[in-house]
Amino acid sequence: MPDIPAKRQNLSWLFVHRWQRATLRRRILVRSGDIDSFLGEGMRSWLRAFLLAVSAWGASMAAGQAAEPTFTVAVVPQFAPVRVYQDWQPLLDRLEQVTGYHFKLLTYAKISDFEAALLKGVPDLAYVNPYDMVMARQEQGYRPLVRDSRLLNGILVVRRDSPITALSQLDGKTLAFPAANAFGASLLIRVELADKHLDIRPEYVGSHQNVYRAVARGEAAAGGGIKETLAREPAALQSQLRILYTTPGVPPHPLAASPRVTQAEGQKIVAALLALRGTAEGRRLLGATFLNDPVRADFARDYAPLEKLGIQRFIVNPAP
């Protein structure tokens, strides 16, 4: 009978010998660069498929990035920057989901700083007051996309216990305004007062919020704002104020686009905003930004007539 241990020993030697030869061959193939022979047909097919998949994925990612631009969005600071962020960021997040575009919110502490950036053409999209729309078109070629359907009214507020009951009583008094170029809260009111030959001392306090608080504290005899911003103040503050005068209505703040935003991109953004009117959640997001009922805006119809109101005499050009 064969020697079983000896036979097993011979088989073990044969296996080790063949394994060593295969290993040596693989080393030679790798060193010589003959990777195809080393991998074998099956492995080569798998590797080719893998590389093709990676290439296709990379191409699709590049195409996706090219089709998803990032737009900067500036908002006139009627409120403090933190409030602007709270109101606008949720709407921009929803627009990202709907359009596939990316939006970066730019906030400013002062209206004058916002205007300086706007007239330099910094933001791609901007929520601007009506006369800023006129100036932004003249300076940088911005165009209005959408606006709220309701007209904008400026208001003058006084303390609830103030003896002032008529505009004529403001002659010689200090009035608080958000900024020289704030439209409803400053320009419309100052045009009206000038037409009545009333001489006032304007103080510019940076925002609508600051105006209402200055009047409530007695630091100004009256102050300019708009109904929508007053309605967002705490009830305790509103109860201390009284509306003395309301201006005639004009088309309100539009969301405007710079020439860098193509017509197709602008129309996609408009369509997304208009579609939000159809859901309760969409209306909530729009309402937070004063675009309660957005409609398409038209410069010639909505804003060009403002150039005839005599507002230019009160415009203060932002510092360069």
Side-chain angles (χ1 to χ4, degrees):
M1 291 182 63
D3 186 352
I4 299 299
K7 185 175 182 179
R8 288 178 178 171
Q9 184 177 4
N10 291 336
L11 289 174
S12 298
W13 178 86
L14 180 62
F15 173 80
V16 171
H17 176 67
R18 290 181 176 177
W19 180 82
Q20 289 176 336
R21 288 182 60 189
T23 301
L24 179 60
R25 182 171 180 271
R26 285 195 293 269
R27 290 176 179 173
I28 293 173
L29 290 174
V30 171
R31 289 174 182 174
S32 66
D34 191 1
I35 300 298
D36 283 349
S37 297
F38 165 65
L39 292 174
E41 184 60 33
M43 182 63 76
R44 289 198 302 273
S45 297
W46 180 89
L47 183 58
R48 281 195 295 269
F50 174 76
L51 293 175
L52 285 173
V54 170
S55 177
W57 176 80
S60 67
M61 288 294 292
Q65 290 174 353
E68 297 177 358
T70 296
F71 298 118
T72 53
V73 183
V75 175
V76 60
Q78 296 168 313
F79 298 101
V82 64
R83 177 68 180 273
V84 172
Y85 180 87
Q86 290 170 349
D87 290 344
W88 278 86
Q89 192 59 52
L91 177 62
L92 298 181
D93 290 342
R94 177 59 60 86
L95 287 180
E96 287 194 351
Q97 296 172 4
V98 176
T99 64
Y101 301 153
H102 300 295
F103 299 95
K104 180 181 179 181
L105 182 61
L106 306 178
T107 59
Y108 298 87
K110 297 181 180 179
I111 292 177
S112 57
D113 293 338
F114 163 82
E115 286 183 332
L118 176 68
L119 298 184
K120 291 177 183 177
V122 172
D124 300 312
L125 299 164
Y127 180 71
V128 301
N129 82 43
Y131 206 78
D132 276 342
M133 180 68 254
V134 173
M135 295 192 296
R137 184 178 180 88
Q138 294 171 346
E139 295 293 324
Q140 297 292 340
Y142 282 82
R143 64 187 188 278
L145 297 179
V146 296
R147 63 171 177 84
D148 191 61
S149 62
R150 301 171 304 171
L151 295 181
L152 170 71
N153 299 96
I155 57 174
L156 263 176
V157 299
V158 296
R159 279 185 57 93
R160 186 167 295 277
D161 58 3
S162 170
I164 295 174
T165 58
L167 290 180
S168 59
Q169 294 173 275
L170 297 175
D171 193 36
K173 297 290 195 300
T174 296
L175 272 63
F177 299 102
N181 297 349
F183 186 70
S186 178
L187 291 172
L188 285 181
I189 294 169
R190 291 162 65 208
V191 166
E192 183 71 17
L193 296 176
D195 289 346
K196 293 182 181 300
H197 307 290
L198 300 177
D199 184 25
I200 63 164
R201 296 190 297 273
E203 285 193 2
Y204 304 113
V205 296
S207 71
H208 291 226
Q209 289 177 303
N210 291 343
V211 167
Y212 302 135
R213 284 154 180 78
V215 174
R217 291 193 296 263
E219 297 169 1
I226 61 175
K227 290 181 178 179
E228 289 78 5
T229 57
L230 179 60
R232 295 199 178 185
E233 293 294 348
L237 177 60
Q238 292 187 50
S239 67
Q240 299 178 53
L241 303 174
R242 168 170 51 88
I243 296 177
L244 173 68
Y245 173 74
T246 301
T247 71
V250 295
H253 296 48
L255 179 67
S258 83
R260 294 187 298 274
V261 181
T262 68
Q263 290 293 331
E265 291 166 341
Q267 289 308 308
K268 191 172 183 179
I269 293 169
V270 170
L273 288 169
L274 298 183
L276 288 176
R277 298 177 302 183
T279 67
E281 175 64 12
R283 290 190 294 272
R284 184 188 67 79
L285 294 172
L286 291 167
T289 66
F290 296 134
L291 289 171
N292 295 274
D293 181 32
V295 295
R296 294 180 186 274
D298 178 83
F299 182 83
R301 178 194 67 207
D302 298 331
Y303 304 107
L306 300 180
E307 297 177 285
K308 301 177 182 178
L309 295 182
I311 291 174
Q312 184 61 39
R313 55 188 155 151
F314 295 106
I315 291 294
V316 175
N317 292 323

